[in-house]
Structure formats: C-alpha cells, structure tokens
Amino acid sequence: IRLNDEKMSNYKNRKLIPIFFALVIVDMIWFNALKLLNIKSQTAHSYLNPIVVMMAVVAFLIFKNIDIGSKSVINNLAKGSFTVFLAHSYMITSIKIESFVNENILILLAHIVISVVGIYLICWVLFFVYEKVTMPIYTLIEKKIGKTEYTVE
C-alpha cells in the first residue's frame, strides 16, 4: 500500500466505507453458506481468507485518510493495540459470548461492549507493565552499544 501511495490516495472514504460493508456482507454470506451446507470449516473468518484480507486493507485505507494529527491520548491508547492483536483470541474464549447470544439483544450488546472494553484495558495494562519492566533494560543497552538508525529506500 505504501509503495502505491499516490494511487491509494485516489480512494476517498465515501467510496471505501460502502466497499468495506459490502465485504462484510460477502463474508457473512460465505459463513452462512458454509453453515447451511453443513461444512465444518472456519475459512469465512480466517485471517487467510481473501475477503478478510481485503477488509483489513480497506479498513487501513479508511483510517489512513483520517487526519487526527498527533494526539497524546490516541498515541498512548494505541500502544495497547499490538497486545490486543496478540492476546484477543485467547481472551475471547473466556468471555462466554455463546451464553448471551439467545438473550435480549440489549444484554448481548452490553456484553459485547463490556467485553471489548475489558479486553482492551487488560491488554493496555499488560503493555504498560511490559514497557515499565523493559524500558530500563533498553536504556542500558542503548547506553552500552549506542543507538543505530537504518533507512530503507
């Protein structure tokens, strides 16, 4: 995407958002078709599914087009995102969403919102602790061997 930045800048959010939702619908159709055909496969939501990859690219382009500047709150909150990426699949198995699926829709939505916020906060705290533990080590290493920067062209 970065190598074709000029071409990618032609895609505006008013075009990208409908494309994203169309891809979500295609993925939902894929999932339901597999379920209808009694095919025991997880390919619909797999990260290797081309539809999911396209959704990720479109989501990236949507957020790339948003100019939020450099906000310290956003930068601080973003630190936990990689930890969420690493830990969310483990944590999702612990939230027991299947027991809320057949409940009132408001209870289900509340459970989803609380679960998402809870998973994010746990991951952010994990990153914060990781950063506090490793920062002195990195500082010591940097003092011993110096800081080297590499550029790739």
Side-chain angles (χ1 to χ4, degrees), residues 99-145:
S99 60
F100 292 91
V101 169
N102 294 324
E103 297 292 326
N104 182 335
I105 189 72
L106 294 177
I107 293 172
L108 175 62
L109 289 174
H111 182 266
I112 290 171
V113 168
I114 291 167
S115 298
V116 167
V117 170
I119 288 172
Y120 179 80
L121 288 176
I122 291 168
C123 290
W124 189 85
V125 168
L126 286 172
F127 178 80
F128 181 77
V129 169
Y130 165 80
E131 188 177 47
K132 292 299 177 196
V133 168
T134 59
M135 189 57 68
I137 298 167
Y138 292 143
T139 304
L140 181 66
I141 292 171
E142 188 177 310
K143 284 180 184 176
K144 291 283 185 189
I145 64 173

Side-chain angles (χ1 to χ4, degrees), residues 1-13 16 56-69:
I1 294 173
R2 190 173 10 165
L3 295 176
N4 293 309
D5 199 32
E6 291 176 16
K7 291 179 186 176
M8 294 296 153
S9 64
N10 293 334
Y11 295 102
K12 303 296 179 205
N13 282 358
L16 292 171
V57 169
V58 171
F60 175 80
L61 290 173
I62 289 170
F63 284 100
K64 183 178 177 291
N65 290 339
I66 298 173
D67 182 23
I68 57 171

